[in-house]
Every structure is written in C-alpha cells, then in structure tokens.
Amino acid sequence: RIQQGREIIKGTLRVAAPLSFGIHSLSPVLPDFMAQHPELHVQLQLDDRRTDLVAESIDVAIRIGTLKDSTLIATKIASIPRFFCASPEYLAKYGEPKTPVNLANHNCLHYSLISTKEEWGFSKDSTTHNIEVDGSLSTNNGDVLKDATIGGVGIAFLPDFIVADALADGRLKAILCEFVPEPMGLYAVKLSRKFTPAKVNTFIEYLKEIYAGIQ
C-alpha cells in the first residue's frame, strides 16, 4: 500500500527553506525523496527572508525558531540543538567565558534571522535565562557568522547543522556547555485549508522520518 501511494505522488511541489538549512541539511536528503517519487517535480526556494506562502504559491515552508503567523498550519519536525562557540585562536587571545555573564566582555556575533533583539537564551537548573549580548557583526545568515567565528572575530550562538563540521574538526570549540542553550524548533508550515494535497503530506512525513533522530 505504501508503494502504491508513492506511485501516485505527482505534480509540482514548491518548497521554501532558509538558505543555510537548505544547503547543509535539506539538500543531502532531497535526492532520496525524489527517488521515491520520480513523477514529482520539486521547486526548492532557498531564502533567509520569511516567504509568503499565498503570494509565492508555496506548498510547504521550512521554518526555524518561533512561529508568528497563526493562519498557517505548522507541524513540528524536530528540535535543533544550538551551541555557544568560538575559535581556539579567539579563546587563546581573549580568554574563555566561564558563565554567560562573562559574555558581556566578549564580541558576540548576532543571528538576526531568529530575533532582531541581541539576546541569547539558555537553561540552568531547569530554569530558562536570557542574557543581552553585543557585538560587531549582525546578519541573517548563519554561514556568514560561522565563517566570522572561525576567523576569530568573536563568539557565536549557532545551530548544530551549521557548526557541526567545524566543531568536529576543531576549527570551533563549544563553550559554556553546562549552560544548555535553548534549542530551536524546526517546523514544516502549510496553508490552512480543508484539503491538503497528498504531495504535501508525503513530504512532511518524510521530513519527520529523516529528522526523528534529533528530537
């Protein structure tokens, strides 16, 4: 029955996703989905701005962080871990902060796609805290922050899919590990309507299966 369902998935599926997530995380798993549904044509739009599903005829939008538009139907796919991180060179030059309060003395690079307010959140002893930070670079693209952090510009607060490789090979070091950063929600968003095309539900279910391991 599953195989029969896959055979009838056809037409065009328009997907929107943030640029860095699309490149690092969605792009590697998309070929398998397309191989399962060879009659489906996928149009993938990568953009760090928030797309308008109606105006741009988007079937599914991948969104990360806090959702604001209540007219859309959102399905949570996973929670994405985040890390406070810096390059070994930066830490050798400026020292490693031991508590989040110490971040006030460091150049903290801001990811404006999540929030325009320069504030980082973390948990300690089951309590959530927010701390204001300040720095010389603010951008809506995580890869720009990653490169700047590797280059020793400052400290960043970035999701796993952007910094995992740099943490693994030592270009970046995770810091303040005992202060657990708040994870980001990964959502698949679709229009609110009575009938949802099978291609949309199939894609969302595929994402849930793929990213189930990072719940």
Side-chain angles (χ1 to χ4, degrees):
R1 292 177 60 186
I2 293 175
Q3 184 60 38
Q4 290 176 346
R6 288 176 178 171
E7 290 175 353
I8 63 172
I9 301 301
K10 59 178 64 176
T12 299
L13 178 68
R14 298 176 179 85
V15 181
L19 179 60
S20 293
F21 179 82
I23 293 173
H24 292 287
S25 191
L26 185 58
S27 176
V29 303
L30 194 57
D32 178 62
F33 176 76
M34 297 182 70
Q36 293 179 26
H37 308 288
E39 295 185 45
L40 186 66
H41 178 66
V42 177
Q43 293 182 356
L44 177 60
Q45 175 179 308
L46 300 182
D47 201 322
D48 284 330
R49 65 182 175 83
R50 184 153 296 212
T51 54
D52 185 324
L53 274 68
V54 176
E56 300 176 53
S57 300
I58 299 297
D59 295 305
V60 184
I62 307 301
R63 291 187 177 171
I64 299 173
T66 303
L67 299 182
K68 299 179 181 180
D69 194 338
S70 60
T71 64
L72 302 176
I73 301 299
T75 300
K76 187 171 183 179
I77 304 300
S79 293
I80 301 177
R82 289 192 284 179
F83 299 92
F84 299 111
C85 54
S87 69
E89 293 77 15
Y90 177 90
L91 296 175
K93 185 174 182 179
Y94 297 103
E96 181 173 338
K98 301 304 180 185
T99 71
V101 174
N102 298 146
L103 291 173
N105 301 318
H106 288 270
N107 192 30
C108 297
L109 313 183
H110 183 54
Y111 188 32
S112 61
L113 182 62
I114 298 299
S115 172
T116 56
K117 188 175 182 180
E118 297 190 0
E119 187 176 79
W120 292 352
F122 63 93
S123 297
K124 180 68 173 178
D125 300 325
S126 300
T127 303
T128 300
H129 305 271
N130 291 309
I131 186 167
E132 292 187 9
V133 296
D134 187 35
S136 61
L137 176 63
S138 177
T139 178
N140 66 344
N141 184 265
D143 279 296
V144 173
L145 291 185
K146 172 187 172 182
D147 290 341
T149 308
I150 291 173
V153 175
I155 294 174
F157 183 32
L158 289 170
D160 176 77
F161 64 85
I162 291 179
V163 297
D165 58 342
L167 291 173
D169 63 24
R171 287 176 294 159
L172 291 177
K173 178 185 177 182
I175 60 174
L176 299 169
C177 296
E178 65 272 31
F179 301 91
V180 183
E182 292 182 343
M184 297 188 299
L186 173 67
Y187 299 90
V189 177
K190 63 182 181 180
L191 293 174
S192 175
R193 53 190 176 191
K194 293 182 179 180
F195 174 74
T196 300
K199 61 186 178 181
V200 173
N201 288 331
T202 300
F203 182 66
I204 292 175
E205 289 303 312
Y206 176 78
L207 295 179
K208 289 170 68 174
E209 293 177 9
I210 290 296
Y211 298 115
I214 60 173
Q215 293 281 2

